[in-house]
Amino acid sequence: MVATCEDETNTETCVDSDGDGWSVDCNDCNDADPTVNPGAAEICNGADDNCNGTIDEVLMPMQMVLQSAAEIVMMQMQRLILQPQKLC
Ligand SMILES: [Ca+2]
Ligand SMILES: [Ca+2]
Ligand SMILES: [Ca+2]
């Protein structure tokens, strides 16, 4: 199967093994799994589904929100803990 990749200049080497429409030359980072290609949606599975080099990046915004929220709580707790010591 020939990949329908954006780069039409290298169709000779565009061999799509898993038949998802993307070849290794067209940034298919796993040409043995049709669910993994640059056009795939990133899902939480511990793998880089959309071949952008980042695993499960869809979860990052929520992780960042939780992390920043945790940091704010920590800062406030530290302030509460440290303030009496400063006053002494
Ligand atoms: Ca492929
Ligand atoms: Ca990814
Ligand atoms: Ca994933």
Side-chain angles (χ1 to χ4, degrees):
M1 180 169 179
V2 177
T4 54
C5 136
E6 292 170 7
D7 185 7
E8 297 293 337
T9 57
N10 63 348
T11 48
E12 286 180 19
T13 53
C14 271
V15 178
D16 182 18
S17 300
D18 55 13
D20 60 2
W22 301 81
S23 72
V24 174
D25 289 327
C26 303
N27 300 321
D28 189 348
C29 56
N30 188 343
D31 207 19
D33 187 343
T35 64
V36 176
N37 60 68
E42 187 71 45
I43 56 171
C44 182
N45 57 2
D48 185 14
D49 305 278
N50 59 1
C51 297
N52 68 349
T54 310
I55 293 168
D56 295 348
E57 71 270 15
V58 284
L59 301 176
M60 286 178 71
M62 183 55 73
Q63 283 177 340
M64 285 168 70
V65 167
L66 290 172
Q67 191 177 351
S68 57
E71 281 172 6
I72 291 167
V73 171
M74 285 291 287
M75 280 171 61
Q76 287 176 339
M77 284 179 70
Q78 281 178 342
R79 204 172 295 157
L80 288 169
I81 295 164
L82 291 174
Q83 263 180 353
Q85 292 174 342
K86 283 179 183 174
L87 290 170
C88 285

